[in-house]
Amino acid sequence: MKKRVWLRQIVTGVAKGVVLWALASLLGCAQGTLPVLRSDNPTPTPLGTTPTFRPPKEGGRPMQRQRLRVYVGTYTHRGSKGIYAFELDLTTGATTEPTLVAETVNPSFLALHPSHRFLYAVNEVGEFQGERTGSVSAFAVDPSTGKLTLLNQQPSKGTAPCHLTVDKQGKFLLVANYGSGSVAVLPILPDGRLGEPTSVIQHEGKSVNPKRQEGPHAHSVNLDAANHFAFVADLGLDKVLIYRFDSDKGTLTPNDPPFAAVASGAGPRHFAFHPNGRFAYVINELNSTITAFRYDAQKGTLSELQTVSTLPDSFKGDNWTAEVQVHPSGKFLYGSNRGHDSIAVFAIEGDGRLRLIEHVPTQGKFPRHFALDPTGTFLLAANQDTDNLVLFRIDLKTGRLQPTGQQVPIPTPVCVLPVPLP
């Protein structure tokens, strides 16, 4: 008899425990916490406690619901009026309808101030205020709507400005003028407006392609992580020119040596650093290649490691490369092909060299630019000639691209700038 009572008590106790655990789990679901079904480091959950939800990890970081505002620079023809913006949900991959956030002429490249309060755009023109020069526009950013309010404009001190960057302290803006082959530095005032240039350097020379390299064509300007050196890829000279950057005075002086050369006729266009600061990459527009360099951060020097093609061996048509970016993980590199209309995907080996993974069609024509979101989850490709941005999900283990089915219609998109929202 005592044995039956004892057994009945055990069964009743277990049943109560199960009911309590179920109630706790349901309550947890109602409050947004769920039992853990899988964990990278599973540990037993004590009886009678509610298991806690841990977000799945991608690339070693917990995934959190996050949104981006994506600004898009354009050429103002075929219906475009300036800079557009839309939102991207990094959890679902959903996008909102694009809206015009600023009317301005040919804002073909954009850069954000470190404070996120100001945005800057080149105006890729040959004449401004009666002078033979392009211009740069400064905008204040409305954090709630993304709308841009023009603060002022300054001459870029060269024709057809096509690329710009803001220094790490947010005190100066550097701009590359493609048409005239020059680079200029403009101070950023406390209210975000641009001041008169503090430094202007005119490149000299030419290279072997008589149509595209008859003179200098500065195509991009980038700063290293330490804010000590500026790198200007000049398509017309087949050189990446290197300058010492004085972040207090806003001046540029040639480094020693003053450049790193690429193959004759290569036409260096855009430049990207590896996150570890030890490697850098330049994409060459005219011969469809990428050159990998070892970077000495103390001396500001580049030493060539390797040059690889961005095209499959079977492709025989015309092609011009455009953008190059390194994945935030440092494991992959992406470059765009205009003509083949694809993204070339490479693995980055431990020594900085590249190994081809795949070529992925951009589902449009002439992908002049693309961007990776800050988490490395998505790639957004801007197809200039088909007026569409195409969204790809990045496999964080392999680097491969998978189209999500999402496309955003924007006329003549030529620059993509993702900005995290609070």
Side-chain angles (χ1 to χ4, degrees):
M1 185 62 123
K2 289 182 180 179
K3 186 180 288 187
R4 283 188 209 160
V5 172
W6 180 70
L7 286 172
R8 194 159 45 242
Q9 288 174 339
I10 290 175
V11 171
T12 302
V14 170
K16 286 181 179 178
V18 171
V19 170
L20 287 172
W21 183 89
L23 287 171
S25 298
L26 288 171
L27 181 60
C29 289
Q31 294 175 341
T33 59
L34 296 170
V36 175
L37 299 180
R38 180 187 63 81
S39 173
D40 294 331
N41 297 294
T43 56
T45 303
L47 186 63
T49 63
T50 304
T52 57
F53 174 67
R54 295 180 180 87
K57 290 185 176 181
E58 294 274 356
R61 293 176 298 176
M63 290 177 61
Q64 298 177 347
R65 191 173 186 85
Q66 194 175 0
R67 293 180 304 133
L68 297 177
R69 179 174 290 126
V70 182
Y71 289 99
V72 182
T74 68
Y75 284 128
T76 45
H77 55 261
R78 287 210 309 271
S80 172
K81 294 183 178 181
I83 302 171
Y84 294 79
F86 63 93
E87 290 189 10
L88 166 64
D89 188 315
L90 288 178
T91 304
T92 65
T95 58
T96 61
E97 289 294 317
T99 59
L100 179 68
V101 293
E103 288 197 33
T104 189
V105 178
N106 286 349
S108 63
F109 208 85
L110 313 175
L112 189 71
H113 191 273
S115 69
H116 288 203
R117 295 172 53 208
F118 312 114
L119 183 144
Y120 301 92
V122 300
N123 298 108
E124 192 173 334
V125 296
E127 184 176 333
F128 175 70
Q129 296 179 343
E131 296 183 19
R132 186 167 172 73
T133 178
S135 64
V136 182
S137 297
F139 297 92
V141 178
D142 184 321
S144 58
T145 66
K147 288 283 186 181
L148 304 177
T149 301
L150 181 66
L151 296 173
N152 77 331
Q153 292 178 299
Q154 286 285 2
S156 65
K157 297 300 180 181
T159 57
C162 62
H163 193 277
L164 77 174
T165 190
V166 176
D167 88 299
K168 305 300 188 287
Q169 299 176 13
K171 293 167 57 178
F172 294 97
L173 178 145
L174 293 80
V175 58
N177 296 296
Y178 177 83
S180 56
S182 60
V183 59
V185 183
L186 289 75
I188 298 174
L189 306 180
D191 62 0
R193 293 181 302 117
L194 294 169
E196 293 284 336
T198 53
S199 184
V200 179
I201 294 183
Q202 176 64 54
H203 294 174
E204 302 291 344
K206 60 182 180 178
S207 193
V208 297
N209 186 318
K211 293 182 179 179
R212 297 292 308 277
Q213 297 181 311
E214 78 298 343
H217 294 298
H219 218 313
S220 62
V221 55
N222 297 82
L223 289 163
D224 68 343
N227 222 32
H228 291 163
F229 296 96
F231 301 82
V232 182
D234 194 306
L235 180 145
L237 304 183
D238 285 325
K239 295 175 181 177
V240 178
L241 291 102
I242 308 170
Y243 298 97
R244 291 184 175 273
F245 174 60
D246 187 322
S247 59
D248 292 323
K249 299 178 181 178
T251 56
L252 298 173
T253 53
N255 193 39
D256 182 18
F259 62 85
V262 296
S264 294
R269 178 185 173 96
H270 282 188
F271 182 91
F273 273 106
H274 191 281
N276 67 16
R278 295 189 293 116
F279 309 114
Y281 303 88
V282 66
I283 194 162
N284 301 304
E285 177 177 338
L286 301 183
N287 71 354
S288 300
T289 62
I290 296 173
T291 301
F293 294 96
R294 181 182 293 108
Y295 177 56
D296 186 323
Q298 297 300 315
K299 299 178 180 178
T301 56
L302 298 170
S303 305
E304 184 175 346
L305 292 170
Q306 172 198 36
T307 296
V308 297
S309 175
T310 63
L311 294 169
D313 293 338
S314 58
F315 182 76
K316 304 302 180 186
D318 292 331
N319 188 76
W320 304 267
T321 62
E323 176 63 344
V324 61
Q325 293 195 20
V326 177
H327 191 269
S329 68
K331 295 164 58 178
F332 314 110
L333 179 142
Y334 301 86
S336 65
N337 288 305
R338 297 172 296 171
H340 188 249
D341 296 331
S342 66
I343 303 293
V345 183
F346 296 88
I348 301 177
E349 306 289 6
D351 62 358
R353 296 173 187 270
L354 303 176
R355 174 176 52 81
L356 179 66
I357 296 175
E358 64 175 349
H359 296 91
V360 181
T362 58
Q363 301 187 7
K365 292 186 180 298
F366 226 65
R368 186 182 183 91
H369 197 253
F370 65 86
L372 309 179
D373 81 83
T375 71
T377 305
F378 292 102
L379 182 148
L380 300 94
N383 294 301
Q384 176 181 343
D385 288 356
T386 45
D387 302 337
N388 64 327
L389 268 76
V390 179
L391 189 65
F392 296 85
R393 185 176 288 274
I394 301 172
D395 186 313
L396 298 182
K397 293 182 178 179
T398 67
R400 292 179 178 271
L401 301 178
Q402 181 64 41
T404 67
Q406 289 276 27
Q407 296 196 19
V408 180
I410 292 178
T412 58
V414 293
C415 181
V416 186
L417 178 63
V419 179
L421 290 174

